Amino acid sequence: MKKEIPGATVPSLTPTRRRIFSLIALAAPVLFFVLLELSLRTGHYGPDLAIFTREMVAGKAMYTFNPACKARYFSRTDFTPDPSPEYFMVEKPAGTFRIFCLGGSTTVGYPYWYNGAFASFLRNRLQMLCPGRPLEIVNLGMTATNSYTVLDIGSELLKYQPDLIIVYDGHNEFYGALGVASQARLAPTRGLNLLYLRLVHFRTFQLVREIVFKVRSIFGKPPEKAADRTTLMEQVAGGKNVPRGSSLYRQAGVIFQKNMQALARLCRNEEIPVIFSTQSSNLRDLAPFMSNHSPGLNPGDIERFQTKYRHALAMEAAGRIDSALVSFNAAIAIDPNYAEAHYRLARCLEASGRLEQAGGEYILARDYDELRFRCDSEFNNLIRAMAGEKGCLVADIEGLFRSVSPDSLTGLNLFSEHLHPTAYGQFLIAGEYARIMQQNSLLAPAQAWKPRSAAIDTLLWQNRPLTLVDELIAARKIEFLTTRWPFQHQPQAVPVIANGDTLRLLADRAVHNQMGWITVHERAADYYLQRGERPRAAREFETIINQLPHHVVAYLKLAKIHYDDEDFSKAETLLLASLQVEPTPLANRVLGDIYLRQRKVTEAVRCYEALARFPRDPSTAADNAYMLALAYLASNKPAAAIDLLEQTIALFPAYQPARALLARIRPVGRSSSGN
């Protein structure tokens, strides 16, 4: 054993060594997490949270929306978004005007697919009003999201060279992802939520988050699944009510305003204009979801309110509207916060012809509704105030919908239920965005636009990219939605579809994700063709092409309908367009047939010869060669025709048309090795 020497002292660290050891102590955990992060990325742990993924489409590098980015906002909610399948070029073409659309389910187009969204209607409108201007409109809507998502995605869009950002957002501010009353809320303050949205991109953070969730699921409540709550509305809201003017309500307003201002500031720094939009909803045909008494109301006042209110209901039921009006007003004087009382008063005012007063009460009924699925007046005023920000424009959709509604009262004339616009409502929204763009010389100088007219509106609506099966899909979704909470306290049965109702059965399968949108339209086209309804079949493929211009199969199937109808001009246009998307042997072959019929022999030869660039299909090779031989003969090239026919017979001895043609055109005395 070593003995200590009396009086000896331990040498102390020099300042330099102390600094070195301190740096090592600090660097060690940093180095550990750096190595852990790199290891997790190398091992592809966790989802790729990028907004876009890259794909090669028709030989071009394209971006498309990445569905995995939902994990930024929905970490434990059993929800898979259906992102827009639209593509846009990685290298932005010169002169192209690029628009990104942000928001929640209305932006998505719910209850329709993306062809029922205002983004699709806007694209068609702008192509008509400013023909020839290259245009990209990308729908980045995501259900059950709010201003956090708009800011988060919007801040990343700047590097993708947008020329305009459109925001339709406000309804989901309370219950959308990270909202103050949302089941998907992760942090108590805006600053912490924004920090979370930065950290979530690190795989180390995702790993720690997953560990925490697993521990919580063991010792606490497990994550909720869609099977437990049948609608996403119920998943994110969880029945939590928010009184108007409460601390939670005020907190949501501050967050909403700051998020919008932050996005506006980022876009202003890059000189990118932004259009914000007021939010409209169903006022006339939807009673408030949740009514409660004013906070602090004493029991005596509550009893007096209930007495007046019950009497008013009885008078309304008896048709004694004037007496009901007196009692409803008396009840509201006691408790002005009870949303249902304002709604009942509005109904009576409307019945008595006092429409302007009725409109005011309908608005109050919405504003005091404590289940805050509909954007209220205060939040719409915050949106309107954004017009004062440099580079910001405001589309007053609430005012627009009111102006086109009977008696200026918005209801089921423009909404499918509480807030999602009908297809015509989405069409109107697109028209308002186009008007603002023209007014502010976006896309092109105002004088370069075609004048807006009722005729253009009518033509656009008549040729909208929606068919009956789309309307049936939307109707079926609404049936499921409105038979559940919060529309019904107890779930109700959804009507069963009869076996012979083909289109509704197709729609039902689409709603249950048993069949994709493209397949549904293809099956609908088959149904119409079997019934001899060829124009309706064509509309199905036109709709696919309108929404998915890179889907070459739709061009070919639509071209076949026109070819069979001997409308060769339309067939030719479609086939040429298909070749721009993806060269196919079928397009070249049918184009060759069309040109040969029209005696355009040079074009026919070119198309038939192009077939040699594709792998040989034994089932069609002989017939293709025969048609090329006919084209050679028509273009006065008999030697080329004879050589081709002889080669064909050598490869396909049983193909009689080639033998017959060769026998007819071959000079006397010339023999063929194929004979």
Side-chain angles (χ1 to χ4, degrees), residues 168-243:
Y168 190 94
D169 186 60
H171 288 308
N172 294 338
E173 197 56 31
F174 289 89
Y175 304 121
L178 310 182
V180 298
S182 174
Q183 294 286 80
R185 188 185 191 192
L186 296 171
T189 66
R190 176 176 181 268
L192 288 176
N193 277 317
L194 294 179
L195 176 62
Y196 167 85
L197 290 174
R198 288 181 177 273
L199 293 176
V200 76
H201 293 275
F202 292 98
R203 306 304 169 92
T204 306
F205 183 82
Q206 293 177 28
L207 175 63
V208 173
R209 182 182 67 174
E210 188 64 23
I211 292 171
V212 170
F213 284 139
K214 286 188 179 298
V215 171
R216 287 176 59 185
S217 67
I218 293 172
F219 296 101
K221 184 180 178 181
E224 193 158 29
K225 295 183 178 180
D228 301 323
R229 293 184 186 273
T230 55
T231 67
L232 186 59
M233 291 175 71
E234 193 165 2
Q235 285 191 67
V236 297
K240 190 170 185 177
N241 60 301
V242 181

Side-chain angles (χ1 to χ4, degrees), residues 250-307:
R250 292 194 298 272
Q251 183 186 1
V254 171
I255 291 171
F256 182 63
Q257 185 176 39
K258 286 185 175 180
N259 286 345
M260 288 193 301
Q261 290 173 339
L263 177 62
R265 186 166 54 251
L266 290 169
C267 293
R268 181 168 61 247
N269 292 341
E270 300 294 327
E271 298 184 343
I272 299 167
V274 184
I275 300 178
F276 292 98
S277 319
T278 59
Q279 308 287 279
S280 188
S281 55
N282 184 349
L283 300 178
R284 178 188 232 159
D285 300 315
L286 185 85
F289 289 123
M290 176 79 68
S291 298
N292 275 319
H293 293 292
S294 302
L297 204 65
N298 63 56
D301 287 338
I302 292 176
E303 179 59 32
R304 288 196 304 118
F305 170 87
Q306 290 294 341
T307 300

Side-chain angles (χ1 to χ4, degrees), residues 65-103:
F65 198 9
N66 174 25
C69 79
K70 75 98 180 180
R72 299 183 187 188
Y73 319 109
F74 301 98
S75 56
R76 305 304 287 171
T77 303
D78 186 18
F79 158 60
T80 301
D82 183 17
S84 166
E86 293 158 328
Y87 293 90
F88 65 101
M89 298 287 289
V90 170
E91 295 295 331
K92 184 179 178 182
T96 296
F97 195 88
R98 181 173 287 174
I99 303 173
F100 291 114
C101 302
L102 299 173

